[in-house]
Amino acid sequence: MIYFNDVSKQYQKDTTALEGISLSINAGEFVSIVGHSGAGKTTLIKLILAEEGPTDGTVFFESVDIHKLKSNDLTKLRRRIGTVFQDFKLLSNKTAYENIAFAMEAAGKTDEEIAADVPHVLDLVDLLGKANHFPSQLSGGEKQRLAIARAIINQPEVIIADEPTGNLDPINTYEVVQILKKINDLGTTIVLTTHNRGVIDSIGKRVITLEKGRIVRDDKDGRYMI
Ligand code: ADP
């Protein structure tokens, strides 16, 4: 589904963020990307989202070279990818319900679809009772569960989660990982970056380890080795 072919990324002449990255991520996989700070995790995510372009090599989403897309087609491609970030990126002036409804409106969904789907997804992340709360009235874990609900509402094929548990305590981290596992079990591909050994161990799936911009391990059985 996602293919990196000998990809390198240099932001400036003398800083190589990624070097010689080749990997494939198949539909339905749950892949964790681990590595120390500066290893290149966020750069890899930005290349998948086409927020940055490669200096060398190609990145394909299915049969499409995503860095050759015109902006219209890129917008369409990004609708197939849901994103979750460490800092949630929720709209502070909208309630939990409205945050999700807004994402559906942006994707052109009807009022009927919104009324039917928003309660369903809030229930999935156990936030139905907080539909009318603003982000400032939610805990960190609740905010991240809301961000996940928003990420999945338009049924993307992939969820990209960049350090989604970075701001959370262990209990909330556990809950967020359980929700991501549930979403993966329902068929969505997940690509997650993390520093957290406990997260990797509790997922128990494929782990790609980056070191100084290179892949140094690609383990099917999900052990944290750095
Ligand atoms: P990680 O997410 O693993 O911490 P990053 O992908 O953010 O790693 O960074 C990889 C390398 O690229 C680091 O050396 C970082 O300083 C550098 N880098 C990241 N973003 C930029 C940027 N916008 N401009 C210049 N250098 C950058």
Side-chain angles (χ1 to χ4, degrees):
M1 176 180 238
I2 297 169
Y3 308 95
F4 279 64
N5 303 307
D6 206 9
V7 171
S8 296
K9 173 70 181 174
Q10 289 184 316
Y11 288 100
Q12 284 125 15
K13 264 194 195 150
D14 49 348
T15 58
T16 299
L18 291 176
E19 195 166 357
I21 301 289
S22 292
L23 64 88
S24 358
I25 296 173
N26 296 321
E29 273 199 283
F30 193 138
V31 181
S32 302
I33 315 279
V34 304
H36 295 297
S37 185
K41 304 181 294 297
T42 301
T43 301
L44 195 138
I45 296 289
K46 285 183 173 168
L47 289 172
I48 298 175
L49 296 173
E51 287 175 9
E52 292 284 353
T55 313
D56 280 307
T58 50
V59 182
F60 277 73
F61 189 95
E62 290 170 349
S63 56
V64 178
D65 180 341
I66 59 178
H67 296 102
K68 291 209 170 122
L69 289 177
K70 303 237 159 58
S71 76
N72 257 357
D73 291 330
L74 191 55
T75 306
K76 277 190 213 148
L77 173 88
R78 286 190 178 134
R79 291 217 182 104
R80 298 169 65 185
I81 305 175
T83 49
V84 178
F85 298 100
Q86 179 169 357
D87 60 357
F88 319 122
K89 299 198 192 300
L90 296 167
L91 299 169
S92 59
N93 60 343
K94 292 190 185 293
T95 63
Y97 185 101
E98 291 165 349
N99 263 278
I100 298 172
F102 188 72
M104 291 187 77
E105 281 163 26
K109 299 291 167 71
T110 64
D111 289 349
E112 289 74 24
E113 286 170 314
I114 292 172
D117 290 357
V118 176
H120 176 70
V121 79
L122 281 171
D123 192 31
L124 185 77
V125 298
D126 204 16
L127 281 178
L128 202 47
K130 305 226 164 158
N132 296 321
H133 284 53
F134 288 91
S136 60
Q137 298 170 309
L138 299 174
S139 72
E142 288 169 342
K143 281 184 210 165
Q144 198 55 296
R145 278 162 25 216
L146 175 57
I148 292 171
R150 182 182 57 181
I152 61 173
I153 190 68
N154 292 317
Q155 295 166 328
E157 290 147 70
V158 189
I159 296 283
I160 306 280
D162 195 7
E163 293 277 1
T165 62
N167 282 331
L168 305 181
D169 63 25
I171 291 173
N172 284 305
T173 292
Y174 176 80
E175 284 177 3
V176 161
V177 169
Q178 292 311 306
I179 288 172
L180 290 173
K181 282 172 80 169
K182 186 155 84 178
I183 293 166
N184 179 242
D185 286 343
L186 294 170
T188 307
T189 308
I190 311 260
V191 182
L192 166 128
T193 72
T194 185
H195 277 97
N196 188 321
R197 180 183 301 260
V199 166
I200 297 302
D201 291 345
S202 68
I203 294 170
K205 303 233 171 154
R206 183 176 172 194
V207 179
I208 295 173
T209 307
L210 288 177
E211 227 174 79
K212 295 183 184 151
R214 291 177 173 276
I215 295 177
V216 294
R217 297 186 69 90
D218 187 345
D219 291 306
K220 293 273 174 259
D221 65 348
R223 271 172 305 144
Y224 191 101
M225 300 295 288
I226 58 170

